[in-house]
Amino acid sequence: MNQVSQARTAEWWRRSTVYQVYPKSFRDTTGNGTGDIRGLTEKLDYLQELGIDIVWLQPVYVSPGHDNGYDVADYERINPEFGTMEDFDELVAELHRRGMKLMTDIVVNHTSTEHEWFKQAISSRDNLYRDYYIWKDPAPGGGVPNNWQSKFGGPAWQYDEASGQYYLTLFDKTQADLNWENEQVRREVNEMMLFWAHKGVDGFRMDVINLISKDQRFPDDDGSVPPGDGRKYYTDGPRVHEYIRAMYDEVFGPYELVTVGEMSSTTLEQCIRYSSPEQREFSMTFNFHHLKVDYPNGRKWELMPYDFEALKRLFSEWQTGMQEGGGWNALFFNNHDQPRALSRFTDDTVYRKESAKLLATTLHGLQGTPYVYQGEEIGMPNPRWKSIEEFRDIESLNMYRILCEQGTSPEQALAILQERSRDNARTPMQWENSPNAGFTTGTPWLKVDERYPDINVQRELERPDSIFHHYRRLIALRKAHAVFTDGIYRRLDEAHPEVFAYARMGDGEALVVVSNFSSKEITFRLPDDHWTDLGAEGKDTLLLGNTAEQAAFTQELRLSPYASYMWLISQN
Ligand code: ISL
């Protein structure tokens, strides 16, 4: 390893694991049916036992809640639904007392239309805040200024009768895009981030941050690049790196914050730029390419079985590409916007336990900083609701209506939501086998999954071979062995239809991960060249497995359904 990459892997957050908390569904201490900040503070010992270093807390700011807090109406006040600023301060203190860190969510591509800035902006064309947002006259023949589409369905423009102009909303119509061309907007955002840094926050997760710089010509999308909804004119836009560098220079750098940028529809080249230390932008990036392998031609609201080879290819490209380019990946299979990977890529019934461990082992052996989304560590599945009445998510409800309007039958639209809805990930956290899984004493805002008597934290903690303890071991292994951070990625499976196998080549040692993503019992033979390079004669140690059958590392491996193993091969 050269000096630059040594310095790189020395940063503490490269050996850390992040736990993502969706506070609305985590733990309710007041009985009002929605989770709160104190509920998180109450559970910090649990997260510490898991080995978590950083907690990512999703938006708890004042908000009308149309998009569960991603529609911020006041960036510097806590939504009373989640508690008070004192509760927040207590959370920070309790985390720090345990040696843990806090990452908060910064949502600045847009604000809620209930934000004071927007209220001012819409009040008159001459208002000082008008230019905080993006206003356009109707197209010459009337109607929307261009053909850009909202990510939640329908046109990306909302008409304001009073001024006769449209404002841009890339998400819900109550989320108005900020005008980052306006220097005053950039200054306000930096000041707001400094406010939280002064409160002791250790880092930020930046919501859809690669969308903030729009092509100022606002052209129509000619549809030549799917999905043709306008995204090519605002994704990784013209001034985005300039804007982020300024945040780094004024906020992230001076306060030594750990930052992760959420990058929508981005590219590897862009993410190398966003996350290389020399660029002084972010610590790491999320991308979503590996979570679109079941979208036919990129269309989220159509179903198809997932493309396993594409999943492996994408992981491999990003592992190698980010490694060679000096970037850093945020590793994840789950978040609050994605259906549960357990239900999506594996078997959440008969082989639920094996599957959950397989996904964990496969992900945590990669290079990057792993993120565990609440409930993943106990194997929570999609709820498979039978009625549209159960759903709450604004995107799901919009799309259900649009699908039905377009002629999809209600049954089929429901079947699509069962697979694709963001609510799949948002069901309340299952703590114990008591009413509402111990999430609330009241009526939960979103239905608790019926399987909670079998799937809950209490049960997981009691059983030494549980999914929870598997995660705990994985998180500890990352800290114990440098090869997790430094090892050079090499794919080993050569397009095998059932197996994902890779190695991380380190100094005199190699980490090997082999996973059978099928319900079949199979034999997998490592290709000769890989077998030789890995040090056929080396001493192997089984670090972790999810079945007892194949403890030794041999060239030919017998893999039971959803078996997954991680070995450390010492080559000396
Ligand atoms: O376009 C996507 C991926 O390429 C989407 O997944 C997109 O990144 C995602 O919808 C953005 O999500 C974030 O911003 C939204 C909010 O609703 C989500 O909960 C948040 O994670 C708007 O703030």
Side-chain angles (χ1 to χ4, degrees), residues 67 70 107 110 151-152 171 175 205 207-208 231 262-265 288 292 336-338 422 426:
D67 191 19
Y70 283 92
V107 189
H110 43 263
K151 294 198 182 256
F152 291 167
F171 291 89
Q175 292 164 306
R205 176 267 187 187
D207 190 60
V208 289
R231 68 182 67 190
E262 187 204 28
M263 303 302 172
S264 180
S265 302
F288 294 90
K292 294 182 178 176
H336 64 296
D337 293 332
Q338 299 290 330
R422 305 193 298 181
R426 298 176 179 183

Side-chain angles (χ1 to χ4, degrees), residues 14 66 80 96 125 169 187 218 295 330 377 384 466 470 506 508:
R14 296 183 195 258
H66 298 301
H96 289 172
R125 282 177 100 140
T169 67
R187 197 169 312 135
F218 291 90
Y295 293 6
E377 79 282 14
R384 294 225 172 76
S466 69
H470 188 90

